[in-house]
Amino acid sequence: MDYGYGIGRQISRKEANYDGIPFDELELFNSKTRRGDQKAVVAIMKYLQSIQGVISWDDILTGATCDELFSETERKAQIKYTRYHMILAMRNLELAGLTNRIGEDSFELTKKGKKISMTNFDVWEDVYKLSIVELYHLHVYGEKFDSSKTEFVFNFKIKNLDN
C-alpha cells in the first residue's frame, strides 16, 4: 500500500552511510513494523500544523489518530499499539527539531516545524535522517555523557499509560 510521504520507502546502505546512519538503525527504519511510527509522524505533523499552538498529549493522540493514514482498527481496537507508535513519532519529531515539549505533556511546533510543507514531506529526509543521527551522536560521539539528555530522549511521560 502506498501511503505517500515516503512511508515504507527503503533506504539503501549507501544512502545511509553517506548520512552517517548506523546500520542497525537503518534496518529498523526499513522494517515493516516501523510503518506505524512513520504514519504517526505524518499524522502528528498534519495535526499540529492545523492547530498552530501549544497542545496537550491527549489532544495530539486523539486528533492525529483521526488522520486518514490510520485505519479504523488502528484507531479503536489497538489504541495501545497506536499510542506506542505515537510516542516514538513524537520522540523523533523532537529530535529532528520540529516540535518542542512544553512541560510534561504539552507540545508545539518549532519555527522549523511550521515551515515544513506537507505537500513534499518525506519521513526520511525531514525527520528520521535527522533524529537518528541526533540520537546516535548523543550516545556515541558525545564529548561528555549527559544523563539529562539521555533521560529526555528515552523517558516520555504521558498520562493514562494503561489506556
Side-chain angles (χ1 to χ4, degrees):
M1 174 180 232
D2 182 21
Y3 298 101
Y5 304 103
I7 296 170
R9 181 165 68 98
Q10 298 293 294
I11 305 303
S12 70
R13 268 184 138 174
K14 183 178 180 181
E15 183 178 355
N17 285 340
Y18 177 76
D19 294 321
I21 307 296
F23 180 69
D24 58 338
E25 292 292 335
L26 175 65
E27 289 298 302
L28 278 174
F29 178 83
N30 284 338
S31 73
K32 289 181 182 180
T33 59
R34 298 313 286 263
R35 287 195 186 140
D37 307 355
Q38 295 172 18
K39 291 191 306 186
V41 161
V42 174
I44 291 168
M45 281 299 296
K46 287 165 58 177
Y47 186 67
L48 288 175
Q49 285 187 344
S50 72
I51 299 299
Q52 291 291 323
V54 176
I55 187 165
S56 74
W57 165 253
D58 291 333
D59 290 339
I60 291 170
L61 184 64
T62 303
T65 53
C66 289
D67 192 272
E68 63 195 22
L69 291 170
F70 291 103
S71 69
E72 192 64 30
T73 303
E74 288 170 315
R75 276 187 221 116
K76 305 268 182 186
Q78 299 177 351
I79 191 68
K80 287 183 183 182
Y81 180 70
T82 304
R83 182 183 298 253
Y84 169 76
H85 288 298
M86 298 291 277
I87 290 169
L88 291 177
M90 285 303 294
R91 181 195 71 173
N92 282 289
L93 287 167
E94 249 182 302
L95 288 171
L98 301 178
T99 61
N100 279 329
R101 185 188 310 229
I102 311 297
E104 284 190 14
D105 69 345
S106 295
F107 299 87
E108 68 179 349
L109 285 174
T110 62
K111 288 180 183 178
K112 181 179 175 181
K114 290 175 183 175
K115 289 181 182 178
I116 292 283
S117 169
M118 294 308 292
T119 57
N120 59 357
F121 186 81
D122 182 277
V123 292
W124 175 257
E125 292 295 327
D126 295 319
V127 179
Y128 286 93
K129 181 166 79 171
L130 305 171
S131 66
I132 290 171
V133 168
E134 180 65 21
L135 181 61
Y136 184 69
H137 285 269
L138 282 173
H139 296 288
V140 176
Y141 294 118
E143 301 257 334
K144 294 181 182 175
F145 180 73
D146 186 347
S147 63
S148 66
K149 284 187 179 179
T150 304
E151 198 170 346
F152 165 77
V153 171
F154 291 105
N155 286 344
F156 195 99
K157 295 180 181 180
I158 57 171
K159 297 185 297 180
N160 301 323
L161 209 80
D162 294 329
N163 291 336

